[in-house]
Amino acid sequence: MVLDPRTKKYLKIFAVIALVFIFTGCTSNVDKNGHLLASRAITESTPWSLKAGFFDFILTIPIAKGILLITSWTGNVLWGVILMTILINLIILPVMIKSTISTQKMQMLQPEMERIQNKYRGKNDQTSQMRMQNEIMNLYKKNNVSMFGSLWTFLTLPIMFAMYGAVQRIQILYTSQAFGMNLGLTPLSQITSGKFIYIAVILVMALSQFFAIEINNLMLKRNKKYKPSAQQNQMKTMNIVMTLMIIYFGLIMPTAMSFYWITTNLITVVRTVFIQIQYIEKQENQKDTNVIR
């Protein structure tokens, strides 16, 4: 995908912020043995105060409190995590609809964008670069695509990181069990101890993660106008790498995080299918009907 320098700059900034949040969440809440740090623990008595920090006050603590509230109703913190994950995803659904539609449109235009890119390959002078950008902008305008449409996803990142952090910091989680597994222990420590039921959780998480990433491409193939681009073919390798990374994190983090990822991945698959059929394909069918008329 060809992007102008300004867009690339924003993407780099967002990528850096994302990495900071991810590594902060992975390292600051638990010690080297995977035990929750007392200073980071959230319980029902944890004060909801700005003293905890702006991000925690606005997002993390309210989400954690919501999980604990649902836990008090259901009797199991795992249901608290699952139901709160579903609720959060329902809240951000309008944003994800816009993001998915925009991403799908841009992927449909990818072969045409690569044709424009190849047309100006090796022409690095300012005039040629400006012409290339103008052709790309005209392509977007013609197909009613916003160049910043895919950035809608980044608006949901703070909420998702807060959810991720809240799950990791709930104290009761580390002493709870579900399906015969201790939610606070890491799958790796239990697998090496001969408790192979944890392997099943990791396998389900890995499969759900792969399909959560791949579902967009699978739904794209339903469109008769879709033609795979060289860049989209290269993304398959990246999908495998991302899945392996999630497997690694799933092995070294509390088992509850695996259930959180499974829930999030399943929601992603269902949401993508729903948006594709209800919004994208319906719009395409209406366009085709109007053309025939």
Side-chain angles (χ1 to χ4, degrees):
M1 180 170 61
V2 180
L3 298 174
D4 61 71
R6 185 181 179 185
T7 305
K8 290 180 180 179
K9 179 181 178 181
Y10 285 139
L11 287 174
K12 288 179 181 179
I13 293 173
F14 280 125
V16 171
I17 293 174
L19 287 173
V20 169
F21 271 115
I22 290 173
F23 286 113
T24 299
C26 289
T27 59
S28 63
N29 296 324
V30 296
D31 60 23
K32 62 181 180 179
N33 297 316
H35 300 142
L36 179 64
L37 297 173
S39 60
R40 301 291 292 170
I42 297 178
T43 66
E44 292 179 347
S45 60
T46 298
W48 187 8
S49 170
L50 270 172
K51 292 181 180 179
F54 182 76
F55 188 80
D56 283 358
F57 175 74
I58 295 296
L59 292 174
T60 308
I61 293 179
I63 290 174
K65 293 285 188 179
I67 293 174
L68 291 171
L69 179 62
I70 296 173
T71 299
S72 67
W73 296 339
T74 62
N76 193 304
V77 69
L78 182 59
W79 284 113
V81 171
I82 292 174
L83 293 177
M84 180 56 73
T85 302
I86 295 173
L87 177 60
I88 291 295
N89 277 274
L90 287 174
I91 292 173
I92 66 175
L93 181 60
V95 175
M96 295 309 299
I97 289 174
K98 289 185 177 182
S99 175
T100 302
I101 292 174
S102 179
T103 300
Q104 286 271 19
K105 285 183 177 180
M106 293 189 77
Q107 287 181 321
M108 290 293 293
L109 294 177
Q110 198 66 39
E112 183 64 19
M113 290 179 65
E114 289 182 356
R115 184 192 68 77
I116 296 173
Q117 184 181 24
N118 291 332
K119 177 180 175 181
Y120 291 94
R121 189 177 300 278
K123 300 178 181 179
N124 299 319
D125 58 282
Q126 187 175 2
T127 301
S128 296
Q129 290 298 306
M130 289 182 64
R131 287 177 180 173
M132 182 178 70
Q133 293 302 327
N134 286 335
E135 287 194 33
I136 291 174
M137 293 300 293
N138 289 333
L139 179 65
Y140 284 156
K141 187 176 181 180
K142 179 182 177 181
N143 291 274
N144 194 27
V145 176
S146 171
M147 199 165 195
F148 296 95
S150 58
L151 297 182
W152 276 102
T153 305
F154 290 105
L155 296 178
T156 67
L157 285 180
I159 298 175
M160 300 311 295
F161 285 133
M163 179 67 193
Y164 174 82
V167 171
Q168 203 178 39
R169 292 173 59 184
I170 295 175
Q171 189 176 61
I172 191 176
L173 179 148
Y174 289 81
T175 56
S176 300
Q177 291 191 350
F179 307 113
M181 290 176 283
N182 189 313
L183 298 176
L185 298 177
T186 66
L188 182 60
S189 67
Q190 298 307 292
I191 292 171
T192 54
S193 299
K195 298 179 181 178
F196 300 115
I197 188 174
Y198 290 83
I199 294 179
V201 175
I202 295 298
L203 288 175
V204 172
M205 185 191 71
L207 288 173
S208 66
Q209 177 65 36
F210 180 79
F211 281 110
I213 298 173
E214 190 65 22
I215 187 62
N216 197 51
N217 291 329
L218 294 176
M219 296 306 295
L220 266 174
K221 293 177 181 179
R222 288 166 54 92
N223 195 316
K224 296 179 181 179
K225 300 177 183 178
Y226 170 70
K227 295 180 180 179
S229 65
Q231 187 183 59
Q232 287 162 356
N233 290 329
Q234 294 170 2
M235 288 294 290
K236 292 181 180 179
T237 302
M238 186 178 295
N239 292 348
I240 295 174
V241 172
M242 289 182 65
T243 301
L244 291 175
M245 286 179 61
I246 293 298
I247 291 175
Y248 170 73
F249 285 124
L251 285 169
I252 65 173
M253 299 187 72
T255 301
M257 293 304 302
S258 295
F259 284 101
Y260 162 69
W261 271 315
I262 291 171
T263 304
T264 300
N265 293 335
L266 293 177
I267 290 172
T268 299
V269 172
V270 172
R271 181 181 64 216
T272 302
V273 172
F274 169 73
I275 294 173
Q276 174 73 25
I277 295 174
Q278 188 65 26
Y279 289 89
I280 299 174
E281 292 185 4
K282 184 176 286 188
Q283 288 180 5
E284 290 296 325
N285 291 334
Q286 288 176 349
K287 287 181 181 179
D288 292 340
T289 302
N290 292 335
V291 170
I292 293 174
R293 289 178 181 176

